[in-house]
Amino acid sequence: MRTRTMRVLRRSLFVAVECALLAAAGFVHGTAVAAEEPAGKLGADWKTQHADTDVANNASLQRGARNFSNYCLGCHSLKYERYSRLGQDLAIPPDLLNKYLVQPGDKDTNYILTSMPAADAEVWFGKTPPDLSLMARARGTDYLYRFLKTFYIDPTRQTGANNLQLPSTAMPHVLSELEGLKKPVYKSVEKMGEDGKATTEQVFDHFEQVAPGRMNAEEYDGFVRDTVAFLSYVGEPAQIQRHSLGIWVVLFLLVFTWLAWLLKKEYWKDVR
């Protein structure tokens, strides 16, 4: 009996500590990682840059929803998100939601779907543009941030653009009017091959602006972050509530463990 009781107590304590560690890991991912100072311009270290998004920032999510509606919804859908849920979560009044976000002919109870026919999209781009509902969860916010920041001019491509994060992407640089046009600058780096011979390889060094856009580097960086933050919200609209509830669950488990320990002491005090 005593052995069984001790096992139960140890198991309860283990569960409580494990939940606390998971909650702490989520907290660090959401705040400490986001606190890293990002660079407005991507250089040779572009793979180390972070999105620095905050799904608790309602103003950022509202701007991201506007950005998506204006620049992304023409090709991409959010088939798991309704306009009404979007308006409720982001505190957008119904009149403003219908005026600025709900597409003509749609209702606020509809899912957010593109009007582009899939067959036409496949002809124009070579493939159907993917639904972006779960893209942030599948690829990560850092991936999306780097993708939107690393478009460059490539005359060999049908769209006239290419991308460092996703080479040979079928997506044109739809944000070029905001960011402007840029070309990659490479540097020569010598590497030793498996046969022991040195070879010269061209490695990306930085971007060179060819034509300016409507935004400067800092403004475009904020535009991208807001858009990525919105896609992060869409990937899990209840994540803020989940984090909040998780804290209370961990606190409950800790209090329950303490009460169980007191109960164990009361039961076994006479035995000792």
Side-chain angles (χ1 to χ4, degrees), residues 11 28 32 35 62 64 80 98 120 145 157 164 172 185 187 198 215 219 228 235 237 245 249 253:
R11 186 177 301 173
V28 170
Q62 291 174 355
Y80 299 123
N98 285 279
D120 291 342
Y145 170 74
R157 300 289 302 164
L164 289 181
V185 177
K187 62 181 179 181
M215 295 181 174
E219 291 171 338
V228 173
L245 180 61
V249 171
L253 290 175

Side-chain angles (χ1 to χ4, degrees), residues 1 5-6 8-9 12 255-272:
M1 180 67 180
T5 303
M6 292 299 294
V8 173
L9 289 173
S12 300
V255 172
F256 176 80
T257 302
W258 176 67
L259 292 175
W261 179 76
L262 291 179
L263 184 62
K264 177 259 180 186
K265 284 191 64 177
E266 181 65 24
Y267 279 167
W268 288 89
K269 67 179 181 180
D270 295 333
V271 175
R272 292 183 179 180

Side-chain angles (χ1 to χ4, degrees), residues 8-27:
V8 173
L9 289 173
R10 284 198 297 266
R11 186 177 301 173
S12 300
L13 182 59
F14 174 78
V15 171
V17 172
E18 183 180 24
C19 291
L21 291 174
L22 290 174
F27 176 78

Side-chain angles (χ1 to χ4, degrees), residues 12-244:
S12 300
L13 182 59
F14 174 78
V15 171
V17 172
E18 183 180 24
C19 291
L21 291 174
L22 290 174
F27 176 78
V28 170
H29 177 75
T31 57
V33 172
E36 295 182 13
E37 185 65 25
K41 296 181 179 180
L42 297 186
D45 62 341
W46 64 274
K47 291 184 178 180
T48 67
Q49 298 300 309
H50 299 286
D52 189 20
T53 57
D54 181 10
V55 292
N57 187 338
N58 224 32
S60 175
L61 297 184
Q62 291 174 355
R63 293 192 299 267
R66 174 204 61 192
N67 299 344
F68 181 89
S69 179
N70 291 339
Y71 291 93
C72 306
L73 188 52
C75 299
H76 300 280
S77 296
L78 301 174
K79 62 182 181 180
Y80 299 123
E81 180 81 1
R82 295 181 189 271
Y83 289 106
S84 55
R85 174 65 186 268
L86 175 67
Q88 178 183 353
D89 289 345
L90 304 190
I92 302 176
D95 56 333
L96 297 180
L97 180 72
N98 285 279
K99 182 177 180 179
Y100 294 109
L101 295 181
V102 177
Q103 299 301 298
D106 280 351
K107 299 179 180 178
D108 58 1
T109 55
N110 290 356
Y111 289 101
I112 304 177
L113 304 176
T114 180
S115 58
M116 177 181 290
D120 291 342
E122 189 167 357
V123 172
W124 295 334
F125 305 118
K127 59 177 65 176
T128 303
D131 180 88
L132 298 183
S133 299
L134 301 176
M135 188 60 69
R137 296 190 66 180
R139 297 285 189 171
T141 54
D142 291 343
Y143 177 96
L144 296 179
Y145 170 74
R146 296 165 192 161
F147 175 73
L148 294 177
K149 292 276 290 183
T150 57
F151 275 95
Y152 62 88
I153 297 173
D154 187 352
T156 64
R157 300 289 302 164
Q158 180 179 356
T159 60
N162 210 330
N163 191 275
L164 289 181
Q165 181 66 66
L166 184 61
S168 301
T169 178
M171 176 177 165
H173 188 13
V174 296
L175 302 178
S176 59
E177 66 163 330
L178 303 179
E179 183 189 23
L181 300 176
K182 59 185 187 290
K183 65 179 181 180
V185 177
Y186 297 90
K187 62 181 179 181
S188 299
V189 176
E190 288 190 358
K191 292 187 176 182
M192 297 298 295
E194 295 181 357
D195 55 358
K197 296 182 178 180
T199 58
T200 302
E201 183 177 336
Q202 296 296 312
V203 178
F204 172 78
D205 186 61
H206 65 277
F207 284 119
E208 181 180 308
Q209 196 78 19
V210 176
R214 289 165 42 196
M215 295 181 174
N216 58 35
E218 184 178 353
E219 291 171 338
Y220 181 72
D221 197 63
F223 179 96
V224 171
R225 293 184 193 282
D226 291 338
T227 306
V228 173
F230 172 71
L231 292 176
S232 177
Y233 149 76
V234 171
E236 188 182 357
Q239 56 184 291
I240 297 298
Q241 293 86 344
R242 176 174 60 82
H243 293 164
S244 177

